[in-house]
Amino acid sequence: MFKSKICLCLTGSTLSENLNILNKYRNWIDIAELRVDYLTEDERLYIRRFPEMAKVPCILTIRRKIDGGAYVDGEATRTLLFARGLAFADQDVRKNFAYVDFEEDFHVPSLQDAALAFETGIIRSVHSMDGPIKNIPQKIESLRTTGYEIPKVAFMPRTLSDVTNLFRQSKDLRDKDSILVAMGGLGLPSRILASRLHSFLTYTSPVELSDNLSHLGQIDPITLSEIYNFRSITQETSIFGITGYPLHHTQSPAIHNEGYKNYGLDSVYIPVRAENVDEAIEFADQVGIKGMSVTIPHKQSVLSYMKEISSETGDIGACNTIVKNGSDWYGYNTDAFGLMEALKKFLGIKNLKHMKVSIIGAGGASCAAAYVVKELGGKACIFNRTISKAKDLAEKYNFKYAVLSAESKSLLDEYSDLFIQTTSIGMGSTIEEISKDPIDFYDFKGSEAVYDVIYTPAKTALLKRAEEAGCKISNGLTMLQYQAEQQFYLFTGVKYE
Ligand code: NAP
C-alpha cells in the first residue's frame, strides 16, 4: 500500500533551533528538510553535522528566492555550500544527508557524482511560483536527467482547476517516485491527499516557523496526522470536504475527522477552497469526493448542480450539504436543523410561540433562521443592509422587515425577545473585524436572549455588549456542531452522538 512520507521543513536561523523544533515533532514525521537558505551565515559553516544531530533522514536544500526560498547570494557560493553539505561522506549513511534538492537548472556533475557515490538521493525540483505547470507528466520526465532522481514539481495554482489538473495528471505518474505539490491555500488538498497523488512525500511546517513559509500553505505535522489522519489515507479512503471562499475560519474538519476516528471509519474530510462553485464540483468529481459541506459564497449557486434537493433546502433556498450518489449530486440543508436544536437548547424551550424575534441579516444563514422561527411558531422582523433581500425573505414567511440601521431602533425594541445575528459582521481575526457590531445603535435592556451564529471569535463584540447588559448569550458553535452531526449522518449513514 503506497504511503507518502511526512517531511518537516526546518527554516530556523540556527541548527540548534531547528533541532529543538525537530525534537518536538519527531514522532509525527519521517524526514526533515534543512533549509540552509534560512540559516545565518555562521551556522551555514556547520550544516554537514546536521544529519547526525537530527537522527532522521535529512534533505539538504538551499532554496533561491526566485524558487520561493530565502537564498539571495550567487550560484558560486551556493555551489560551495552544497559541497560543504555533501563533503566527508561517512560510511554510516545515516550520518550523511539522505537527499539533496537540486533545482532543474542546477547541474554540477561533481556534486551529482558525490551525492550518488554516497547514496544521497537527488530530488530534482522545479518551482513555479506564479502559476500552474500545465503538462506535469512531461515536466516530470524532463527532470529525470540521470534516471536516479526523484523529480519534484511544485506550483502555485491560480484556481482550484489547476489543482484538479494535478490530480488528473498524477494518474499517469504512479510507476516511479515523484513529488507533486500544489502550493498556497488552494493547494491544501494536494498536501493532505499526497498519498492519493502517489507523491513520495508531503511537506509540513512547524507552527513555530510557520510565518517563514506561510505563502506556501503548509500545515504542521501534528495537525496533518491528528486532525487529518494522514497516515491512514489510502486509495480506498472515502473523501469528504468543505468548499467555500475564502474558507479561512472553518472548524468543520476537526468535527468530522474526529467522528471518523471515533467510529473507526476509513474517511477523511478536507478543506477545498474554490472561488467558483463549478471548480469545486469539478474537483470533487475528479478526486472522487463523496460529500461536501458548502459555505459562503456557494450555498445558493451550488443548487444548479443538484439532481434533487430536500424539501427544506427548497423552502430555504440555500444548500449547505451535497452528497454524491452514483454520478449525481443531491442537496440538503442542515443549517436549519442545527439552528433549531441550538435554539431549543439555548432557550430551554420547545418552540418560539409568543416570542418576537429580530433576525439580523438576510443571507444564507438568515434564510435558515427565518425557516426555523416559522417552524417553531415565532414572529420575526428581518433587518438587512440590502432592504430588498430582507423584503423577499420576510414576505415568504409573512414576517416584518426593515433596513439594518439606527432608523429601525424602535422595531428592534419591539422584536427583542430573541436576537438571531446571522450577518458576517464581527467574524474574523483582526482587531478591525472583531470590533464590529451590526446593531451598535441598539441599547440592550438585559432581558433579550442573543444568539450569534458566528463562532470565530468565540465572543463577538455584539455578544460582549449584550452580556455586559445582562442578556443571555450564545455563539454559533452549538449550531455548527448540530448541523455537522446531521451532515455526518448524511455522509456516512452513521449517527454522530
Ligand atoms: P451570506 O449569505 O453571504 O450573507 C451575509 C449577510 O451579512 C448578508 O445579510 C449581508 O448583507 C450581511 N453583511 C455582510 N457584510 C455586511 C456589512 N459590511 N454591513 C452590513 N451587512 C453585511 O453569508 P451566510 O452564509 O449567511 O453567513 C453569514 C455568517 O453566518 C457567517 O459568519 C457564517 O460563518 C455564519 N454561519 C454560521 C453557521 C453555524 O453553523 N454557526 C452556519 C452558517 C453560517 P447584504 O445582504 O446587505 O449583503
Side-chain angles (χ1 to χ4, degrees):
M1 191 76 71
F2 180 86
K3 290 269 175 74
S4 295
K5 298 180 195 308
I6 300 180
C7 174
L8 182 70
C9 293
L10 292 168
T11 55
S13 58
T14 65
L15 295 178
S16 65
E17 182 188 3
N18 282 328
L19 198 60
N20 285 339
I21 289 172
L22 171 60
N23 283 335
K24 176 180 161 190
Y25 291 94
R26 187 176 289 283
N27 292 343
W28 288 273
I29 63 152
D30 306 295
I31 297 179
E33 181 185 46
L34 179 66
R35 289 289 298 264
V36 179
D37 44 320
Y38 281 90
L39 291 173
T40 63
E41 294 239 349
D42 288 351
E43 289 287 312
R44 288 174 183 173
L45 296 173
Y46 305 106
I47 55 177
R48 180 64 192 86
R49 298 179 189 166
F50 194 70
E52 190 174 356
M53 294 157 78
K55 296 191 174 62
V56 290
C58 290
I59 304 174
L60 171 64
T61 299
I62 315 172
R63 188 77 70 229
R64 298 172 297 202
K65 203 153 191 156
I66 45 160
D67 298 314
Y71 195 80
V72 287
D73 298 338
E75 284 299 79
T77 46
R78 204 164 74 105
T79 307
L80 284 176
L81 271 178
F82 273 126
R84 182 172 292 142
L86 298 173
F88 311 114
D90 203 289
Q91 289 301 323
D92 181 354
V93 291
R94 289 170 304 179
K95 295 179 182 172
N96 303 332
F97 279 97
Y99 301 94
V100 59
D101 184 315
F102 292 147
E103 291 81 1
E104 178 183 29
D105 59 347
F106 186 84
H107 283 278
V108 178
S110 55
L111 286 178
Q112 212 158 286
D113 292 348
L116 292 177
F118 296 103
E119 294 181 43
T120 297
I122 297 173
I123 295 171
R124 179 74 64 191
S125 63
V126 61
H127 297 82
S128 172
M129 301 308 294
D130 56 1
I133 291 171
K134 290 287 179 203
N135 193 334
I136 295 162
Q138 194 181 63
K139 190 68 188 171
I140 289 283
E141 224 22 70
S142 75
L143 292 172
R144 285 190 220 275
T145 52
T146 64
Y148 297 112
E149 295 105 327
I150 301 177
K152 171 187 171 187
V153 163
F155 67 88
M156 191 62 78
R158 291 207 180 100
T159 67
L160 185 64
S161 291
D162 297 333
V163 185
T164 307
N165 189 44
L166 173 66
F167 276 87
R168 188 180 294 121
Q169 297 192 355
S170 73
K171 294 207 153 56
D172 300 331
L173 295 170
R174 298 208 167 148
D175 52 334
K176 291 183 194 150
D177 282 335
S178 57
I179 300 171
L180 303 171
V181 187
M183 298 181 280
L186 289 166
L188 186 54
S190 77
R191 299 192 184 279
I192 300 171
L193 301 179
S195 293
R196 292 294 270 258
L197 282 171
H198 261 247
S199 180
F200 176 66
L201 54 78
T202 192
Y203 292 92
T204 60
S205 260
V207 281
E208 294 82 350
L209 301 171
S210 62
D211 282 353
N212 287 345
L213 301 178
S214 57
H215 58 299
L216 302 184
Q218 293 176 358
I219 51 177
D220 73 90
I222 299 181
T223 300
L224 189 68
S225 300
E226 303 295 325
I227 301 284
Y228 294 104
N229 219 357
F230 180 83
R231 304 255 188 223
S232 306
I233 299 173
T234 65
Q235 297 301 321
E236 275 71 51
T237 303
S238 298
I239 307 173
F240 300 95
I242 176 164
T243 189
Y245 196 85
L247 205 60
H248 280 146
H249 307 285
T250 173
Q251 296 201 9
S252 298
I255 297 175
H256 284 265
N257 285 318
E258 186 175 332
Y260 303 148
K261 249 194 227 171
N262 292 345
Y263 291 97
L265 302 173
D266 181 14
S267 301
V268 63
Y269 182 101
I270 62 167
V272 179
R273 187 193 284 195
E275 202 163 353
N276 299 303
V277 75
D278 52 342
E279 289 165 5
I281 297 286
E282 182 200 19
F283 179 81
D285 287 340
Q286 175 61 43
V287 175
I289 291 183
K290 294 182 171 169
M292 281 202 291
S293 313
V294 180
T295 188
I296 302 175
H298 303 323
K299 285 185 183 177
Q300 272 99 18
S301 51
V302 79
L303 285 168
S304 62
Y305 291 86
M306 299 301 109
K307 171 123 197 264
E308 267 176 41
I309 54 172
S310 67
S311 65
E312 70 257 38
T313 306
D315 289 346
I316 295 164
C319 172
N320 79 325
T321 309
I322 63 173
V323 179
K324 192 141 188 211
N325 194 344
S327 56
D328 295 315
W329 288 99
Y330 294 79
Y332 303 86
N333 188 307
T334 67
D335 279 340
F337 171 82
L339 182 61
M340 195 177 290
E341 294 305 302
L343 287 179
K344 284 184 193 164
K345 188 177 170 213
F346 172 50
L347 300 169
I349 54 178
K350 289 201 163 61
N351 60 56
L352 296 175
K353 279 181 187 147
H354 316 298
M355 286 189 83
K356 291 182 105 176
V357 183
S358 280
I359 298 175
I360 316 296
S366 174
C367 293
Y371 175 87
V372 167
V373 173
K374 192 73 185 177
E375 285 283 302
L376 293 179
K379 289 193 169 61
C381 183
I382 298 170
F383 300 84
N384 198 41
R385 173 179 63 178
T386 310
I387 189 79
S388 58
K389 280 168 70 182
K391 180 172 184 283
D392 290 348
L393 185 57
E395 284 178 347
K396 200 163 153 186
Y397 297 105
N398 211 9
F399 288 160
K400 285 204 165 186
Y401 65 92
V403 69
L404 183 60
S405 73
E407 68 190 71
S408 304
K409 222 169 146 182
S410 59
L411 265 172
L412 276 169
D413 248 328
E414 189 186 333
Y415 285 80
S416 60
D417 293 327
L418 169 66
F419 284 75
I420 307 176
Q421 195 306 109
T422 71
T423 74
S424 39
I425 301 172
M427 179 174 77
S429 46
T430 66
I431 301 282
E432 203 202 336
E433 286 167 337
I434 64 170
S435 58
K436 287 187 181 150
D437 175 344
I439 50 167
D440 55 3
F441 47 85
Y442 176 80
D443 296 318
F444 286 104
K445 302 181 279 269
S447 55
E448 304 90 335
V450 184
Y451 191 92
D452 195 330
V453 299
I454 293 174
Y455 51 85
T456 320
K459 218 179 260 178
T460 56
L462 169 78
L463 287 184
K464 276 188 197 152
R465 203 163 59 79
E467 188 177 45
E468 277 161 20
C471 302
K472 190 175 162 67
I473 62 159
S474 172
N475 69 16
L477 257 188
T478 45
M479 174 182 176
L480 178 78
Q481 183 71 32
Y482 286 125
Q483 70 78 25
E485 288 176 10
Q486 202 192 31
Q487 233 164 32
F488 189 87
Y489 179 71
L490 288 166
F491 289 160
T492 64
V494 174
K495 282 219 157 103
Y496 193 119
E497 281 164 349

